[in-house]
Each structure stands twice: as C-alpha cells, then as structure tokens.
C-alpha cells in the first residue's frame, strides 16, 4: 500500500486513432482538407461578387466615391492643416471634382452638337465611297444586297425590339442618375469623415490585428490615390497630344475625341487603343485613308511617349501588376459592370496587391507571397 501523503499512482491510457482520423491525417486527407477549404473560400467569394453585381447601383457608386476620395485626400488634408474649416475644405474639394466631371460631359455634348451636321455629311460621303470600293472587290456585292442590309437596319429601328431597347436605355439612365446622386453624397462623407469612418470600422480589432488593419487601410488609400492622380496626369497628356494632333490634321470632332481619349486612358492597355481606333475611323470617314494613317501615327507616337516616359515616372510603384493580371481584371470587370467595371477593376486589383505587400509588416508581404528563394526565369 502507498504511504500516507505519497502521490497516487496514475495509469496512462493511449488511445489509438480511429480509422477515420487516419484517413484524414495522411497526404490525401490533407489534400482533401485543403480542397474543401478552397471550395468554401470560392463559394464565399462568388457570393460576395454576386451580391455586389446585383446591388451594382449601390456598390459601384461607393467604390467610385472611395477611389475619388483617396485621390483627393491629400488636398483635403492640406487645406485642414492650413486652418481651413473641415466643412469648407470638404465642400471646396467636392465642388472642384463635380466641376471637372461636369466640364468633361459638357465638352463632349457641346462639341458633338456643334459639329454633328458636318460629321453626318462626311459619314454619308464615306458610305458612298465604301459602296464604290465594295463594287471593285473580287467578290460580287450587288446593289440589291446593299439595299437589303439598309432595309434590315431600318426595319430594326422601327421595330418593337428597338423600342424595348430604348425603354431599357431609359431605365439605365434612371439608374445612372440614381448612382450619380448616391456617389456624390457618399463622396462628401468620405472626404469629410473618411478617417473617422475607418476608425469606426476598426473597433472590433485590437493588438496586432488592429495594426495590420491600419497598415492595409493606409496602403489601400495610398495606392488608389496614387493610381488616380498618376493616371489622370497621363490621360491629360494623352488627350492634349492626340487632340492637338488630330486638330492639326483637320479631323472633325477633335475636342470630343480628345475628351474620349482622356476617359479611355483610365482603362490600361486597351483604352488608348480603342480611342486611337475611334479617332482613325472618324478621320477615315471624314477625310480619307491618308489622314487616317496620319492619325494612327499620332496615336502610336503619343502612346509610346506615355508607356516609356510618363507611366514609369508618374505611376512609379503604384501599379506593379503583370499585364496578364491587368487583362484578366479588365475582362472580369467589364463582364460584371461594363465600362465602369473596366475602369475600377485595375485600381482595385492594385489596392488588393498593395494590401498583400504590407500584410505582416510595413515591408513584409503575406507569408504565401514572400520570396523564399532566388527566383530565376530563364528562357528554355
């Protein structure tokens, strides 16, 4: 018998893992676990994207307001540091943004209205030239086929299908106006109380998680703001260069085309190409093939200046994304939200990548994205 006060003997029981535990603990079980985790993450991501697309009248204005507020945040901060009251600084910046946006739309509408008759006459001449050129082709395109095509277009314009499309356009216009008003209101509050709103959203976090959230938020605002400011500068240079060039050539609608160049410059890779094609088509219809080739040369020259000089200097490290990632993001954004999605998809991707770069520290990316070895990619 044990002595008084001596520790009682204990018996250690070893429990053998069950068959189910063995199956989930081997290599295939680990792979299955990772697959299930990946499926859950994808389902959640798809649900978020679907909800955002369904509520696009809300999500897109909020995202646009966030991007514009990130670009204008340094201006608001500068005004406040110089003892301008917060409400006055916010209103001054907001009115400035609205004036710029309104001026862009006004330039397009006024220039198109003033030059539309000339362009219409040029388009008719170009259509006649196209008919004459079609008659010289080796394939036979007689006048009856051309008349049938024209009649088909006229029938579509006068059909109920075109009328339903017009009603859909009216609904889209109403949604646009609703989103515009919402964007202005949200932009006002982001400019006025952006830091306070962010601090309120960070209340659930403490310690290291709070520090990480602050780093991510600062980097997102910095990336979005730098992207918008740099892209706006590049777009302005492109618009001035191409606009002056096509005006010298004598292309009609030079001013609205320059504004279109400015807007499409916010779409990387494909935006400048689309604007150049549009300008060349207008020159081809209005002036002829020689002037159209000159316009193409002007567009190529300005794009080369942008890609080799302006983008590296003005954008810097703001947009460090591979071209393939940009193209995939543009495609996804266009499918989900049209032209607006194409414009906001790339800065959002850049912001997400910037957040990953500071996930574990000011200069320490998230663990899966850290460089773990000397990476070489040699041509084979």
């Amino acid at each position: 018998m044990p002595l008084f006060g001596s520790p009682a003997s204990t018996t250690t029981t070893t429990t053998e893992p069950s068959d189910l535990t063995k199956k989930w603990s081997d290599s295939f079980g680990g792979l299955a676990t990772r697959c299930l985790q990946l499926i859950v993450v994808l389902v959640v991501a798809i649900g978020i994207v679907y909800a955002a697309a369904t509520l696009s009248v809300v999500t897109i204005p909020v995202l646009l307001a966030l991007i514009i507020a990130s670009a204008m945040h340094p201006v608001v901060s500068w005004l406040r540091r110089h003892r301008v009251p917060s409400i006055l600084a916010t209103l001054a910046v907001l009115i400035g943004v609205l004036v710029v946006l309104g001026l862009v739309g006004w330039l397009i509408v006024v220039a198109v209205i003033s030059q539309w008759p000339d362009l219409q006459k040029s388009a008719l001449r170009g259509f006649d030239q196209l008919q004459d050129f079609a008659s010289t082709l080796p394939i036979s395109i007689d006048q009856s086929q051309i008349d049938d095509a024209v009649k088909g277009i006229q029938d579509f314009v006068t059909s109920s299908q075109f009328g339903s499309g017009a009603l859909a356009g009216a609904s889209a216009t109403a949604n646009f106006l609703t989103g515009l008003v919402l964007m202005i209101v949200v932009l006002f509050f982001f400019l006025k109380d952006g830091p306070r709103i962010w601090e309120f959203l960070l209340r659930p976090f403490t310690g290291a998680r709070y520090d990480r959230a602050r780093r991510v938020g600062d980097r997102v605002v910095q990336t979005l703001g730098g992207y918008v400011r740099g892209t706006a500068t590049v777009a302005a240079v492109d618009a001035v260069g191409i606009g002056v060039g096509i005006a010298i050539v004598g292309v009609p609608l030079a001013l609205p085309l320059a504004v279109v160049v400015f807007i499409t410059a916010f779409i990387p890779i494909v935006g400048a190409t689309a604007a150049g094609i549009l300008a060349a088509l207008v020159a081809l219809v209005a002036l002829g093939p020689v002037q159209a080739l000159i316009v193409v040369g002007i567009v190529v020259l300005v794009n080369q200046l942008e890609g080799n000089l302006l983008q590296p200097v003005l954008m810097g490290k703001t947009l460090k994304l591979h071209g393939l990632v940009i193209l995939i993001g543009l495609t996804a954004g266009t499918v989900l939200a049209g032209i607006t999605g194409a414009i906001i998809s790339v800065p959002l991707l850049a912001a997400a990548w910037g957040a990953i770069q500071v996930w574990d520290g000011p200069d320490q990316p998230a663990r899966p994205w850290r460089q773990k070895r000397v990476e070489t990619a040699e041509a084979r």
Side-chain angles (χ1 to χ4, degrees), residues 127 130-131 134-135 141-151:
F127 184 72
L130 184 61
Q131 284 182 297
S135 63
I141 302 178
D142 55 20
Q143 186 62 35
S144 61
Q145 292 175 315
I146 297 176
D147 294 339
D148 291 339
V150 174
K151 185 176 183 301

Side-chain angles (χ1 to χ4, degrees), residues 80-377:
R80 288 172 178 169
R81 287 196 303 268
H82 287 74
R83 298 183 179 180
V84 177
S86 177
I87 186 65
L88 293 181
T90 302
L91 289 176
V93 174
L94 179 63
I95 292 173
V97 171
L98 295 179
V99 167
V100 171
L101 295 177
L103 181 62
V104 169
W106 179 79
L107 287 175
I108 294 178
V109 173
V110 171
V112 169
I113 291 176
S114 63
Q115 300 186 30
W116 182 257
D118 295 337
L119 183 63
Q120 192 175 26
K121 295 177 182 178
S122 300
L124 293 175
R125 290 197 302 268
F127 184 72
D128 294 335
Q129 293 175 2
L130 184 61
Q131 284 182 297
D132 296 337
F133 175 75
S135 63
T136 62
L137 294 176
I139 57 175
S140 61
I141 302 178
D142 55 20
Q143 186 62 35
S144 61
Q145 292 175 315
I146 297 176
D147 294 339
D148 291 339
V150 174
K151 185 176 183 301
I153 296 175
Q154 293 175 345
D155 292 341
F156 171 74
V157 171
T158 58
S159 65
S160 59
Q161 183 180 1
F162 182 81
S164 62
L167 292 177
S171 175
T173 302
N175 290 337
F176 170 78
L177 294 177
T178 303
L180 180 62
V181 173
L182 178 61
M183 187 199 74
I184 294 173
V185 174
V186 174
L187 177 60
F188 171 80
F189 286 108
F190 279 172
L191 291 173
K192 181 177 179 294
D193 300 321
R196 294 182 181 178
I197 294 173
W198 183 237
E199 284 294 339
F200 174 79
L201 295 176
L202 294 183
R203 284 184 180 179
F205 302 99
T206 57
R209 292 183 177 180
Y210 173 79
D211 295 336
R212 172 182 293 169
R214 285 297 303 267
R215 287 195 308 271
V216 169
D218 294 341
R219 177 57 65 91
V220 167
V221 172
Q222 178 185 357
T223 302
L224 291 177
Y227 175 86
V228 173
R229 291 189 295 270
T231 304
T233 305
V234 172
V237 174
D238 288 350
V240 172
I242 295 178
V244 171
I246 61 178
I248 293 174
V249 175
V251 178
L253 299 177
L255 182 58
L257 285 175
V259 177
V260 171
V261 170
F262 177 82
I263 296 174
T264 56
F266 284 87
I267 306 176
I269 300 178
V270 299
T273 303
I277 292 174
L278 178 61
L281 288 176
V282 173
L284 177 63
V285 171
L287 303 176
V290 176
Q291 288 81 356
L293 290 176
I294 295 175
V295 170
V296 171
I298 293 173
V299 172
V300 171
L301 179 62
V302 173
N303 287 338
Q304 289 298 315
L305 175 65
E306 169 199 330
N308 297 322
L309 180 61
L310 295 179
Q311 286 279 3
V313 173
L314 296 176
M315 301 298 290
K317 298 181 179 180
T318 300
L319 187 61
K320 297 184 65 176
L321 297 176
H322 193 276
L324 179 61
V325 176
I326 294 176
L327 285 175
I328 294 176
L330 285 175
T331 304
T334 305
V335 170
L336 292 174
I339 186 66
T340 306
I343 292 175
I344 67 176
S345 59
V346 176
L348 292 180
L349 283 175
W353 179 244
I356 292 174
Q357 296 301 304
V358 296
W359 190 258
D360 289 335
D363 296 311
Q364 194 170 18
R367 185 178 300 275
W369 304 102
R370 297 178 194 171
Q371 184 174 344
K372 304 174 181 64
R373 66 193 69 86
V374 178
E375 299 176 354
T376 59

